[in-house]
Amino acid sequence: MGLFGGRKKSAETASAPMQDVGPKKRPDKSIKERAPRSMVPKRIVRVFFWCFMCFIFIKGCVSFTQGTKVVHQTINYGSDKPVIDESIKGFAADFASEYFTWSDDNFSERSSRLAPFISNISQDAGLKSFDIKGSSRVLSAEVYDAKKINDSQVDVTVVVRREVTLPQDNMSSAGGPASVSAVSNTNMDRAVKKAYMVVPVTITDKGPVIRSYPRFVTELIKGETESQAPGPSITDTNILNMGKELTESFLRSWYDGNLSQLKYYYSDIANIPSSVTKSNFVFDKVDSLNMYKVDGQENVMRIYASIIVKSDIGESFTNSWTLDVTAKDGRLYILSVGDGGSSTNDSTSSSQATSESDQVTPQPTSSNE
């Protein structure tokens, strides 16, 4: 029974219809809620992008309507004064030399010397040959001033010093003995003349040329200034004596070119010149000396000294020196040389040398040659 019963049960189980088995359901888990992503950053980017594109579009339209715009940029370094080539100045100086050089026995030779300089004017450059008496020899021709009129025109002022030789009976018409330095020499007199001449130089593709007559101008009048002391005047006799002693010793070594001796007179070793060349002039003496306190600089005094120097042939000249000094350990020492301007001492004018071309003014670190 048991055996058949078991079989019957198995048969029943086998004959029973099979039930549909659906997909397995996942366990129902709660879904976490998430906040939606913000769109603000993207919107900001879009706004900036379209604003930029609109700006480019508008700028392009404005540029198109205005057309091509040329922008000129000028950068000035230092002085904006037009630079005039040195060759132009030299050309004018050479012309002036030939212009004032002639001889009464061979005046035509002057025209051949002027030919390389001039064009479209007379071969004598305006000088009337029938009025010439005697001869003229140029001693020096120096450029005094140069002005650029335009891109093709430069006016060069040249000062010419020349020696003229004239018959004695013509000296009165040339200005008289009172206005010239005349030396009698076998019925001929010599005089030194000076003239300021403006040479109009035209610049061409092939070089400079003179196409119009030169003109003479007067010498500039010297200016006037009022001397101003740097501070209160020093009247202490002891300090003045120390200042004079320092000036004598220092300048004597300076003119001798004695650098090792100069080192003892400087307050700071950094201010000592690297080299000093022996001058062609010899220190003689201190002619006059004034001392002042320098406003705003404690313990600094300024020496204005007029000294006498002599050339190798015994000529005497007055030179002006300015020394800034300080007191230390009962002595005066040099701070700087030549920084204080012109001297306020007017009493030395009577001892100035009368020769304008031979006046000597030594400068630091250079020889008076």
Side-chain angles (χ1 to χ4, degrees):
M1 241 348 245
L3 177 63
F4 290 101
R7 290 180 178 177
K8 185 177 180 180
K9 187 177 182 180
S10 300
E12 290 177 355
T13 304
S15 63
M18 295 183 66
Q19 297 179 354
D20 293 336
V21 180
K24 295 182 179 180
K25 293 182 179 181
R26 293 182 180 180
D28 186 12
K29 296 182 179 180
S30 60
I31 300 174
K32 295 181 179 179
E33 296 182 357
R34 295 182 180 178
R37 293 183 179 180
S38 176
M39 302 298 290
V40 174
K42 292 184 179 180
R43 291 177 180 175
I44 294 176
V45 173
R46 289 195 194 99
V47 170
F48 276 108
F49 173 79
W50 286 113
C51 287
F52 177 77
M53 294 301 295
C54 291
F55 173 77
I56 296 296
F57 177 77
I58 295 172
K59 185 176 181 180
C61 293
V62 172
S63 299
F64 179 79
T65 56
Q66 289 181 346
T68 304
K69 185 177 181 180
V70 180
V71 178
H72 297 280
Q73 183 180 10
T74 303
I75 302 176
N76 295 326
Y77 296 97
S79 174
D80 58 355
K81 185 177 181 180
V83 178
I84 300 175
D85 196 287
E86 292 298 324
S87 62
I88 304 298
K89 300 178 183 179
F91 181 84
D94 290 343
F95 167 78
S97 295
E98 301 298 345
Y99 182 92
F100 278 109
T101 301
W102 65 77
S103 176
D104 55 351
D105 57 354
N106 190 14
F107 183 79
S108 60
E109 187 263 344
R110 175 179 177 272
S111 300
S112 61
R113 287 187 282 104
L114 289 177
F117 297 92
I118 62 178
S119 176
N120 299 330
I121 58 176
S122 66
Q123 61 180 358
D124 294 334
L127 179 64
K128 306 302 181 183
S129 58
F130 50 81
D131 289 335
I132 293 299
K133 296 185 175 82
S135 61
S136 174
R137 181 174 65 92
V138 172
L139 302 176
S140 65
E142 302 175 1
V143 175
Y144 187 81
D145 189 20
K147 293 181 180 179
K148 188 174 183 179
I149 306 303
N150 51 52
D151 292 339
S152 61
Q153 186 72 38
V154 176
D155 282 357
V156 182
T157 303
V158 183
V159 55
V160 179
R161 290 180 175 86
R162 62 192 179 104
E163 181 186 66
V164 295
T165 303
L166 297 174
Q168 285 185 351
D169 40 345
N170 287 324
M171 286 301 296
S172 57
S173 61
S179 62
V180 294
S181 302
V183 180
S184 182
N185 182 17
T186 316
N187 297 327
M188 298 293 288
D189 286 326
R190 290 191 177 95
V192 175
K193 294 282 191 177
K194 182 171 69 172
Y196 287 78
M197 181 172 69
V198 177
V199 181
V201 181
T202 302
I203 303 173
T204 68
D205 295 337
K206 295 183 179 180
V209 65
I210 298 171
R211 292 177 173 173
S212 57
Y213 294 112
R215 61 184 184 274
F216 299 109
V217 295
T218 58
E219 183 177 357
L220 292 180
I221 302 174
K222 70 176 182 178
E224 295 182 359
T225 59
E226 293 183 1
S227 300
Q228 295 182 353
S233 176
I234 296 176
T235 58
D236 189 305
T237 305
N238 185 36
I239 297 179
L240 290 173
N241 289 336
M242 288 194 299
K244 183 177 181 180
E245 180 181 354
L246 173 65
T247 302
E248 289 178 342
S249 302
F250 174 78
L251 293 181
R252 192 180 302 277
S253 299
W254 187 279
Y255 280 92
D256 289 341
N258 191 341
L259 182 60
S260 59
Q261 187 67 28
L262 284 177
K263 296 179 180 179
Y264 293 103
Y265 305 120
Y266 277 90
S267 173
D268 189 351
I269 192 173
N271 296 330
I272 301 174
S274 58
S275 63
V276 178
T277 305
K278 179 178 173 59
S279 174
N280 291 334
F281 294 83
V282 178
F283 175 85
D284 183 27
K285 64 179 181 178
V286 174
D287 188 36
S288 63
L289 182 143
N290 290 326
M291 290 185 67
Y292 301 87
K293 294 180 180 179
V294 179
D295 289 335
Q297 300 185 45
E298 189 176 359
N299 298 327
V300 177
M301 294 169 284
R302 184 161 295 162
I303 297 176
Y304 292 114
S306 292
I307 68 170
I308 305 297
V309 296
K310 290 188 175 182
S311 67
D312 54 354
I313 57 176
E315 300 161 325
S316 296
F317 299 93
T318 300
N319 283 190
S320 296
W321 282 78
T322 304
L323 309 174
D324 279 5
V325 301
T326 186
K328 185 188 300 183
D329 300 329
R331 288 184 54 190
L332 294 181
Y333 291 90
I334 299 290
L335 292 174
S336 62
V337 179
D339 295 335
S342 61
S343 173
T344 59
N345 183 16
D346 297 329
S347 63
T348 61
S349 59
S350 61
S351 61
Q352 294 285 339
T354 58
S355 174
E356 62 180 359
S357 61
D358 294 332
Q359 182 67 29
V360 180
T361 304
Q363 297 295 332
T365 68
S366 65
S367 62
N368 301 323
E369 299 180 354

